[in-house]
Amino acid sequence: MTYELLQQYWWFLVSLLGAILVFLLFVQGGNSLLFSIGHTDEERRLLVNSTGRKWEFTFTTLVTFGGAFFASFPLFYSTSFGGAYWLWMIILFSFVLQAVSYEFQNKIGNFLGARTFQWCLIVNGIVGPLLLGGAVATFFNGSKFIIDKDNLIGGTLPIISHWANASHGLDALLDPWNLILGFAVFFLARILGLLYFINNIAEETIRARCRRALVGNTVTFLIFFLAFLLRTLLKDGYAADAATGIIAMEAMKYLNNLTSMWYVSLILVAGIVLVLYGIARTILSATYYKGIWTTGIGTVLTVLALLLCAGWNNTAFYPSTADLQSSLTIANSCSSEFTLRTMAYVSIFVPFVLAYIVYAWHSIDKKKIDIKEITKDEAY
């Protein structure tokens, strides 16, 4: 592989991890529905134990996603995670709160009560997807940071990048289009959570409630998602000159990317079709329980296509609204060729890890969860 191809390869892998992470947010989406789907203490405990079997997958993928970004594109990691740290700290704290809530809500000596920790799960179910969606939206809308590599040599402090204001990432929430994608991800997570409950819980009462809740959540998701998608395709984007690396605004850059990269367009269309098919068939058929897989695969394909559109084809994947030339591209923010090549060899083992995850998932879900199981067996 050439250095350029290695850069493209690692952006693909990072994008794939990000897409899988969005799919796994069904845990957060399901938790945000605890009190609307679970009407009794037993039903709520059933829902908690359903998502509780999978929350480690989401948490591990989030950490892996951050680690892969750090290893392959360290300048982005230091700029975003170091500069916008308040945004990322809130996200990480909500996930830590989730882990604590699962383990302690029904422990002996819990003086706060199970409901307190269930509300903490709801907080993570809302805050996690909403802020992660808002953070991803900055790939298209930009953030306020400045890059100055000369500081490594002549500066008093060897700091390459710094935030241009004192908000340290919270200013991303002031952009309504970041919030629009954030809400789209939030409602998508709720849809995936409902589909997961239908597939995983052997209680027809809960399944019926989930099907009814799918309609409103799907309509709301489509409003936010289509608004963000159409605006992104029609707005000016951040193009990088392949020879000089100079960043310039280009009319309808992301639409041009999809036109130039027809294979990415096919992935996007296929993903959207699968998402809608899985939802529609689940709503219309009372005996269809596999919508989580159809819509889940569609989610991965859709998010993958959007992230590839944000970084490939000489596009600045992390634009700076404070200094246009500080915008980050795959070429100017990646690791050395040696590092990317070495990690490429390690990435050969990724399919084996995915195979193990599939095997573990299948083993956990051999028997669908029901109320009898959580009252007699060990449970959260």
Side-chain angles (χ1 to χ4, degrees):
M1 287 188 179
T2 63
Y3 190 24
E4 182 179 358
L5 185 57
L6 285 168
Q7 295 166 358
Q8 305 292 326
Y9 172 72
W10 273 102
W11 181 254
F12 171 81
L13 287 186
V14 169
S15 299
L16 181 60
L17 283 172
I20 294 173
L21 174 61
V22 173
F23 160 64
L24 293 174
L25 289 178
F26 71 80
V27 173
Q28 279 63 42
N31 288 340
S32 72
L33 295 157
L34 277 182
F35 288 99
S36 59
I37 300 299
H39 292 178
T40 66
D41 290 339
E42 279 189 338
E43 288 178 346
R44 284 190 286 272
R45 194 175 183 191
L46 181 63
L47 298 176
V48 168
N49 278 272
S50 178
T51 58
R53 294 177 170 187
K54 303 298 190 306
W55 73 266
E56 294 97 336
F57 289 111
T58 309
F59 196 92
T60 303
T61 305
L62 175 64
V63 174
T64 305
F65 173 69
F69 240 136
F70 170 73
S72 52
F73 301 98
L75 187 53
F76 165 79
Y77 189 90
S78 64
T79 300
S80 181
F81 289 78
Y85 56 80
W86 281 122
L87 179 63
W88 289 108
M89 285 299 292
I90 294 172
I91 293 172
L92 292 175
F93 177 78
S94 75
F95 276 88
V96 172
L97 187 65
Q98 174 206 55
V100 173
S101 299
Y102 274 119
E103 297 298 332
F104 286 96
Q105 61 183 285
N106 288 306
K107 291 288 186 182
I108 297 175
N110 169 23
F111 64 91
L112 295 175
R115 180 161 293 203
T116 299
F117 287 107
Q118 288 173 357
W119 276 108
C120 290
L121 289 177
I122 292 175
V123 169
N124 171 250
I126 297 172
V127 171
L130 180 62
L131 296 191
L132 280 172
V136 171
T138 61
F139 285 9
F140 301 92
N141 298 324
S143 296
K144 295 184 181 298
F145 63 89
I146 297 174
I147 304 289
D148 188 359
K149 296 183 179 181
D150 291 337
N151 281 344
L152 284 178
I153 302 174
T156 56
L157 291 175
I159 300 175
I160 297 178
S161 59
H162 64 274
W163 220 247
N165 56 44
S167 70
H168 295 292
L170 294 180
D171 54 305
L173 304 179
L174 298 178
D175 187 331
W177 289 104
N178 290 345
L179 290 177
I180 284 174
L181 183 60
F183 279 112
V185 173
F186 168 66
F187 283 104
L188 175 61
R190 286 166 68 93
I191 291 169
L192 292 169
L194 291 167
L195 294 172
Y196 174 73
F197 287 149
I198 291 171
N199 177 262
N200 186 248
I201 298 177
E203 296 288 340
E204 289 305 320
T205 302
I206 289 179
R207 283 174 168 171
R209 288 181 199 147
C210 289
R211 284 193 170 87
R212 289 195 295 270
L214 267 176
V215 178
N217 281 279
T218 299
V219 171
T220 310
F221 160 70
L222 288 175
I223 292 172
F224 283 114
F225 176 71
L226 292 177
F228 180 85
L229 180 63
L230 291 175
R231 187 258 181 177
T232 299
L233 294 180
L234 297 178
K235 81 181 192 76
D236 294 347
Y238 302 83
D241 186 273
T244 64
I246 294 176
I247 311 297
M249 301 304 296
E250 180 180 318
M252 295 189 291
K253 170 61 176 171
Y254 302 106
L255 180 60
N256 295 337
N257 283 356
L258 290 178
T259 304
S260 302
M261 301 183 292
W262 58 268
Y263 42 90
V264 176
S265 300
L266 288 180
I267 294 173
L268 178 62
V269 172
I272 293 174
V273 169
L274 287 174
V275 168
L276 296 177
Y277 174 80
I279 295 171
R281 186 171 178 186
T282 302
I283 293 173
L284 297 174
S285 174
T287 59
Y288 184 68
Y289 305 131
K290 298 181 179 180
I292 181 62
W293 300 119
T294 309
T295 300
I297 293 172
T299 297
V300 172
L301 293 178
T302 301
V303 177
L304 174 63
L306 290 176
L307 291 177
L308 292 179
C309 185
W312 279 0
N313 198 38
N314 299 315
T315 308
F317 71 86
Y318 198 48
S320 172
T321 56
D323 174 28
L324 189 60
Q325 300 312 314
S326 292
S327 301
L328 300 183
T329 66
I330 292 176
N332 69 16
S333 64
C334 67
S335 293
S336 67
E337 181 176 0
F338 173 79
T339 301
L340 294 182
R341 189 177 300 278
T342 302
M343 292 194 304
Y345 295 137
V346 177
S347 70
I348 295 174
F349 295 98
V350 169
F352 297 97
V353 176
L354 292 177
Y356 173 76
I357 292 174
V358 171
Y359 171 76
W361 189 301
H362 176 72
S363 300
I364 293 172
D365 281 358
K366 278 184 178 179
K367 181 181 179 297
K368 302 301 181 183
I369 190 171
D370 54 27
I371 291 179
K372 183 186 297 185
E373 178 180 340
I374 67 168
T375 55
K376 292 185 177 180
D377 298 334
E378 183 179 354
Y380 287 112

